[in-house]
């Protein structure tokens, strides 16, 4: 049986000394907080490189055929057309239905929220130029997919999301990271429940306080087309605001306490302090083959990940991937952002020796439930780094490479190699 592949862990130049030694005498990868915050910082700060680039290179070396999986997926545009049509149809049929009726709420939760979550993730997929070969065609399809969301979103999302890929965990660049103030205020049962209920607003507002990409013609086009659509839908429905309210309410529910919204938390909050629920596929296979005796079950054996930094990305392989462009295969997506949603399972099968040992989630509903109720996981459970990364979409250049907002980070000369990224993905 082949041994588990070893990944390169690169340290930043002149990293700070580790704050706590591990029990075996090896230095910990955890370092003191690199940011000055108004509250005590409990994030997991590290100097190590994010894991996806090195794993991508290792997979390509072991399985060079995976690069053939890269490229646009023609099916995407048809799925987008179908879901947009469904949402416009539902909005029209609810034009005379009160927003406070059970029919309005149930439709918005079951159909609307699921559909708009699907469109959020269609825009996510299209942001990597995975619907067409033409960047402009991708931008226009994203604007079309944006229509049932109710507010212009697609143009602003793209530079922030590509920077998230190039700068995973880098403070001041990765806008997916909560701030220390957010974590301090919301790190309680009620706070986490509030965050999960209104997380769509956190993801919408937080980036504006981190850095601002330039406003382009695509942003203007997105704004004009979205507002024109909202106005035209209202006029077509004889001045009724119910259709637009339905679309907006669907977008809110899509990022609230909805099963599909579990992916927001599942992707990058680490659950390594929780005793069960994120076992790897490999661990489940071993447990299925060898049923431990009751005595062995009672023994508290160290988890194989205890001596490592907490995982930064978790995958989910359950049925909700059907509605969400396989975004659950998130390790696979971060390793190869140029592979479309329909081929991520093929990537997993080809490189299963890399993915099966990784911790993963079994249920997004469990993720939300555990995140709120378990004191061992919360807003502080994110890995942060002060150096590295790359700002995508403008913002100026600087010689100082410390990951602060507004700086254009250089990923180094070897980042532009044949490692599964297409240069067209970072072109505006």
């Amino acid at each position: 049986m082949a041994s588990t592949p070893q990944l390169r862990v690169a340290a930043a130049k002149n990293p700070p000394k580790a704050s706590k030694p591990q029990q075996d005498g090896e230095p910990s990868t955890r370092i003191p907080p690199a940011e000055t915050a108004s509250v005590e910082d409990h994030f997991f700060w590290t100097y190590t490189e994010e894991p996806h680039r090195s794993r991508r290179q290792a997979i390509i070396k072991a399985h060079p055929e995976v690069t053939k999986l890269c490229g646009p997926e023609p099916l995407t545009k048809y799925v987008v057309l179908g879901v947009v049509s469904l949402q416009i149809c539902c909005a029209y049929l609810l034009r005379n239905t009160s927003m406070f009726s059970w029919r309005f709420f149930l439709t918005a939760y079951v159909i609307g929220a699921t559909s708009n979550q699907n469109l959020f993730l269609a825009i996510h997929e299209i942001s990597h130029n995975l619907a067409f070969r033409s960047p402009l065609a991708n931008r226009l399809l994203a604007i079309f997919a944006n229509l049932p969301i109710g507010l212009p979103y697609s143009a602003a999302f793209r530079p922030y999301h590509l920077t998230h890929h190039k700068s995973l965990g880098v403070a001041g660049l990765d806008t997916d990271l909560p701030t220390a103030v957010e974590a301090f205020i919301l790190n309680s049962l009620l706070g986490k429940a509030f965050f999960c209920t209104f997380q769509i607003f956190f993801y919408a507002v937080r980036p504006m306080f981190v850095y601002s990409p330039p406003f382009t013609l695509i942003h203007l086009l997105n704004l004009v087309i979205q507002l024109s659509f909202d106005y035209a839908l209202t006029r077509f429905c004889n001045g009724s605001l119910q259709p637009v309210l339905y679309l907006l309410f669907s977008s809110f529910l899509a990022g609230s306490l909805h099963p599909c919204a579990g992916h927001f938390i599942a992707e990058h909050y680490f659950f390594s302090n929780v005793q069960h629920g994120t076992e790897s596929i490999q661990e489940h296979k071993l447990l299925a083959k060898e049923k431990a005796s009751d005595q062995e079950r009672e023994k508290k054996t160290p988890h194989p990940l205890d001596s490592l930094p907490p995982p930064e990305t978790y995958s989910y392989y359950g049925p909700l991937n059907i509605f969400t462009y396989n975004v659950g295969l998130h390790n696979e997506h971060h390793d190869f952002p140029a592979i479309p949603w329909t081929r991520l399972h093929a990537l997993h099968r080809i490189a299963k020796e890399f993915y099966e040992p990784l911790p993963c989630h079994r249920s997004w509903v469990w993720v939300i439930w555990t995140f709120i109720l378990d004191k061992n996981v919360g807003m502080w459970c994110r890995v942060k780094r002060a150096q590295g990364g790359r700002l995508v979409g403008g913002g100026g250049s600087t010689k100082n490479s410390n990951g602060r907002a507004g700086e254009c980070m250089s990923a180094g000369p070897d980042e532009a190699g044949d490692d599964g990224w297409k240069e067209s993905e970072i072109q505006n």
Side-chain angles (χ1 to χ4, degrees):
M1 180 175 166
S3 60
T4 302
Q6 298 298 312
L7 303 182
R8 178 173 62 88
V9 180
K13 293 180 180 179
N14 302 319
K17 289 184 178 179
S19 56
K20 292 181 182 179
Q22 292 179 342
Q23 291 181 355
D24 58 4
E26 291 295 322
S28 170
T29 57
R30 188 166 194 162
I31 62 172
E35 288 186 328
T36 301
S38 56
V39 298
E40 187 177 357
D41 192 309
H42 295 288
F43 293 114
F44 190 99
W45 286 88
T46 184
Y47 63 86
T48 58
E49 179 192 51
E50 58 89 11
H52 299 287
R53 180 173 172 272
S54 58
R55 184 162 58 232
R56 175 166 61 247
Q57 293 173 335
I59 290 173
I60 290 174
K61 184 176 180 180
H63 303 284
E65 67 273 20
V66 298
T67 58
K68 296 179 181 179
L69 299 173
C70 298
E73 171 51 66
L75 180 62
T76 301
K77 57 182 175 290
Y78 300 113
V79 176
V80 168
L81 177 62
V83 177
V84 169
S85 302
L86 173 64
Q87 276 294 76
I88 293 175
C89 180
C90 288
Y92 176 76
L93 294 175
L94 291 172
R95 65 192 183 280
N96 296 321
T97 305
S98 169
M99 187 177 178
F100 300 102
S101 69
W102 67 266
R103 184 181 291 114
F104 189 100
F105 179 84
L106 199 61
T107 305
Y109 189 85
V110 176
I111 299 177
T114 305
S115 297
N116 276 16
Q117 184 66 253
N118 177 274
L119 291 172
F120 286 149
L121 294 167
I123 292 170
H124 163 264
E125 186 78 6
I126 297 164
S127 72
H128 292 286
N129 288 339
L130 292 177
F132 299 99
R133 294 196 179 276
S134 163
L136 179 59
N138 283 287
R139 301 297 85 73
L140 295 176
L141 181 63
I143 290 173
F144 176 73
N146 195 150
L147 295 179
I149 291 172
L151 293 172
Y153 153 80
S154 64
F157 170 79
R158 184 171 184 269
Y160 286 121
H161 179 67
L162 296 186
T163 299
H164 163 69
H165 271 270
K166 288 290 186 182
S167 310
L168 182 64
V170 178
L173 289 179
D174 185 357
T175 57
D176 188 66
L177 293 167
T179 64
V181 173
E182 285 177 70
F184 177 78
I185 295 173
L186 300 174
N187 199 47
S188 64
L189 191 149
L190 291 177
K192 290 187 290 183
F194 180 86
F195 175 75
C196 289
T197 304
F198 298 99
Q199 61 181 313
I200 193 71
F201 296 118
F202 288 89
Y203 286 105
V205 174
R206 184 192 299 139
M208 294 186 289
F209 290 93
V210 179
Y211 70 91
S212 299
F215 189 86
T216 67
L217 286 175
I218 292 296
H219 289 79
L220 179 61
L221 188 64
N222 187 196
L223 178 66
V224 170
I225 289 178
Q226 186 63 54
L227 295 181
S228 299
F229 170 79
D230 292 345
Y231 176 75
L233 182 61
T234 303
R235 289 296 299 269
F236 184 74
C237 295
N238 299 319
S240 172
L241 292 175
Q242 298 305 99
V244 174
L245 290 176
Y246 163 77
L247 297 178
L248 293 173
F249 193 44
S250 296
S251 295
F252 166 73
L253 292 174
S256 185
L257 298 175
H258 187 277
C260 291
H263 82 87
F264 289 119
I265 295 168
E267 290 165 359
H268 297 296
Y269 283 86
F270 62 80
F271 282 65
S272 50
N273 294 331
V274 179
Q275 294 301 315
H276 62 87
T278 60
E279 293 83 5
S280 68
I281 294 174
Q282 190 177 75
E283 287 177 292
H284 272 272
K285 286 183 175 180
L286 289 173
L287 288 173
K289 288 180 180 178
E290 303 174 2
K291 287 190 176 180
S293 65
D294 292 339
Q295 186 177 10
E296 287 175 326
R297 285 177 186 170
E298 289 174 4
K299 285 183 181 179
K300 197 168 183 181
T301 57
H303 192 279
L305 294 171
D306 284 348
S307 61
L308 300 174
E312 295 186 53
T313 306
Y314 288 76
S315 286
Y316 157 79
Y317 301 103
L320 292 180
N321 280 308
I322 297 171
F323 304 105
T324 57
Y325 287 87
N326 285 327
V327 75
L329 281 74
H330 216 64
N331 270 301
E332 292 83 348
H333 170 65
H334 266 266
D335 289 352
F336 290 89
I339 293 180
W341 59 285
T342 53
R343 302 170 206 157
L344 288 175
H345 282 291
L347 168 64
H348 179 92
R349 287 193 298 271
I350 292 170
K352 62 182 180 180
E353 72 271 23
F354 288 87
Y355 293 117
E356 289 192 352
L358 300 177
C360 59
H361 291 296
R362 295 294 183 280
S363 164
W364 280 341
V365 174
W366 177 88
V367 166
I368 297 173
W369 179 267
T370 304
F371 183 83
I372 294 174
L373 297 179
D374 196 318
K375 64 181 181 181
N376 293 309
V377 62
M379 300 295 294
W380 293 111
C381 292
R382 290 297 296 264
V383 175
K384 284 192 176 187
R385 48 181 56 83
Q387 294 182 322
R390 179 176 182 177
L391 183 66
V392 179
S397 61
T398 180
K399 294 180 181 179
N400 188 9
S401 300
N402 63 357
R404 302 274 70 79
E407 296 177 355
C408 185
M409 306 306 298
S410 172
D414 53 350
E415 183 67 9
D418 185 15
D419 61 357
W421 271 85
K422 303 292 185 184
E423 268 308 305
S424 60
E425 290 183 330
I426 57 173
Q427 293 172 356
N428 291 322

